[in-house]
Amino acid sequence: MYDPLTSKAIPAFHEAGMATYWQAVTPFPDTDSVALPAQADIVVIGAGYTGLNAAVTLARDYNKHVVLLEAGSIGAGASSRNAGFLLPGSGRLGFQDYRKKFGEDVAQAVQNEFAASIAHVHQAIDDSDYHCDFTHARYLRVAHNSKAAQILHDQQPAYEPTLLDAEWLTAESLKQQIPGLPWGHGGLALTPAAALNPRALTAVYLEQAKQAGVTIVSGHPVTHWQALGDGTHQLEAAGSSIRCRQALVCTNGYLPSQPFADIAQRQFPVLSSILVSRPLNAVEQQMLGLTVNDLVMDTRLLKYYYRLLPDGRILFGGRGAVRGKDAESGRQRQRLERALVQTFPQLDGLYADYFWSGWISVALDSIPRVFSPSPGVYTSAGYCGAGVAFASLAGKRLAQLAAGETLPALPFYQTPLPKYPMPQLRRVALRGLYQWQRWFGS
């Protein structure tokens, strides 16, 4: 599959041949894609959650002529490949991390922004006739050892002043609720959260973009960008060119090394893989104890995450291969199937009906950013694999920034993504991390 670290440019329709569960079960509206016009007020590059929300906001709220450019089909990247976890957070950091680094008031404001991101998605779905299998849920962090359990337990009171509710589950309570887990040491359940069909959410935003008058151009990878002397930008895509006043780069983990090299070196594209099983029968579901209202993630350094889908299948995900060319190998699929059985021994022998991978964007400090790296260029990235809700709100915030608005005084909006030192060694470091986890992780 396409690899952002080895491919200088992203191929047109790079997702061709990718067979996911969401594709199989999700009817998708016509994109109404047209030829690339010669000019626009603003070009938005990348038609995932961030790009679609940015385009909608700029066209609808600021009356801009917006062209939405996508290398593949609409939502071809992570927006149609993720697990459908609508979470009150993003990245690897929890409330305590933000409080330790930025103080109590900022940490509370961060959690409230996360809660607002869920409300933002919920409102879009409520305003749409498109069915997303939206289900109110709890985000359950399950401790994989006693030390992690104590950390989660200590976090619970800190959420009281925020818009989030946190419930501590003892090991005994967790065992009663999810009896299939053999190792749970306790857990912290956060609400609001929700489960949904991520590809259907992409369709909701696509319909909004069409209604707002956004010009949609798919199958057009951007291969060249030039800032011109008159304050405009010229972009080349699929042999055509367009001139604009502003360019918004909303590609997240799918950004190739060119033409925005500086942005590419500020984030790390890492593969995450997902499998979806056959439908579990009633006895199997009862043994596990999972419900469609549970979004579960463990506390390992290299986390596993899982949920029960509305049709009774179990979705299970975790880290993928290091290189894109290894993403779809049988070895990677078998590794994730083994991890599923280690998590739920009752499912021994259960093989996946679907298996796929996608790129997430990892920020060096695990904090996503909305920022302007150069005059007239704006970007948002670094969601660290938990961006369904925040990436959607970030698109709106990115549009506000491009329109000259002042964003909330939060860490996401005050500084650029930090650069990776020696970015050419990012993948070497990742291999070392995976090997360390194999030897010493628990």
Side-chain angles (χ1 to χ4, degrees), residues 40 77 250 355 421 428:
C250 304
F355 173 80
V428 175

Side-chain angles (χ1 to χ4, degrees), residues 23-347:
Q23 288 175 317
V25 302
T26 312
F28 206 72
D30 190 346
T31 60
D32 294 343
S33 181
V34 299
L36 185 68
Q39 61 183 14
D41 294 330
I42 300 173
V43 171
V44 177
I45 305 168
Y49 298 146
T50 300
L52 285 162
N53 275 273
V56 168
T57 302
L58 288 165
R60 183 185 61 200
D61 299 346
Y62 296 97
N63 198 31
K64 299 294 186 181
H65 174 208
V66 180
V67 171
L68 181 61
L69 268 180
E70 168 57 47
S73 302
I74 301 302
S79 295
S80 287
R81 303 190 202 183
N82 67 79
F85 282 39
L86 196 63
L87 302 181
S90 181
R92 306 185 67 88
L93 305 184
F95 185 92
Q96 297 282 53
D97 300 303
Y98 282 101
R99 182 165 64 178
K100 182 177 180 180
K101 189 168 185 177
F102 301 105
E104 183 76 27
D105 291 345
V106 172
Q108 291 179 16
V110 163
Q111 294 304 318
N112 290 343
E113 184 80 341
F114 287 147
S117 72
I118 294 178
H120 173 81
V121 176
H122 197 182
Q123 185 63 57
I125 294 172
D126 280 350
D127 292 343
S128 172
D129 294 329
Y130 212 81
H131 185 57
C132 288
D133 287 330
F134 183 93
T135 304
H136 290 287
R138 60 178 180 173
Y139 171 37
L140 181 57
R141 295 292 311 280
V142 175
H144 71 289
N145 59 32
S146 57
K147 181 180 179 181
Q150 188 61 53
I151 293 173
L152 290 177
H153 179 268
D154 292 345
Q155 288 179 0
Q156 189 271 333
Y159 285 94
E160 290 181 4
T162 74
L163 297 176
L164 302 176
D165 292 323
E167 178 188 3
W168 169 249
L169 302 179
T170 65
E172 293 75 17
S173 178
L174 183 63
K175 186 66 176 177
Q176 290 176 354
Q177 295 182 33
I178 308 181
L181 278 178
W183 49 265
H185 294 262
L188 188 66
L190 297 177
T191 54
L196 49 71
N197 176 326
R199 182 166 168 80
L201 179 61
T202 304
V204 168
Y205 294 145
L206 171 59
E207 290 291 275
Q208 285 187 342
K210 291 162 63 174
Q211 292 167 9
V214 174
T215 300
I216 299 169
V217 182
S218 58
H220 276 61
V222 175
T223 54
H224 182 75
W225 160 70
Q226 183 180 7
L228 304 178
D230 60 356
T232 63
H233 301 264
Q234 183 165 306
L235 303 170
E236 294 182 6
S240 300
S241 64
I242 182 171
R243 184 172 290 196
C244 59
R245 303 295 303 183
Q246 295 174 316
L248 276 60
V249 183
C250 304
T251 51
N252 203 38
Y254 284 78
L255 180 66
S257 58
Q258 296 294 336
F260 297 97
D262 177 74
I263 302 174
Q265 292 181 0
R266 293 176 183 269
Q267 57 96 28
F268 185 9
V270 175
L271 280 171
S272 185
S273 295
I274 291 175
L275 62 80
V276 172
S277 75
R278 62 160 172 78
L280 305 182
N281 61 42
V283 173
E284 290 170 324
Q285 293 185 40
Q286 185 176 18
M287 284 193 303
L288 298 189
L290 282 178
T291 74
V292 293
N293 307 107
D294 296 318
L295 301 174
V296 188
M297 188 179 297
D298 65 38
T299 54
R300 293 180 175 92
L301 178 62
L302 301 177
K303 299 171 174 56
Y304 293 116
Y305 51 91
Y306 40 93
R307 57 177 284 210
L308 187 71
L309 298 174
D311 61 1
R313 301 173 188 266
I314 188 167
L315 178 150
F316 189 88
R319 66 99 167 165
V322 173
R323 302 177 300 180
K325 67 179 183 179
D326 301 324
E328 307 305 316
S329 71
R331 180 181 178 185
Q332 295 299 324
R333 181 180 185 132
Q334 292 164 10
R335 178 189 56 77
L336 203 56
E337 288 175 341
R338 288 195 300 269
L340 170 61
V341 173
Q342 290 169 359
T343 304
F344 292 111
Q346 302 91 335
L347 298 181

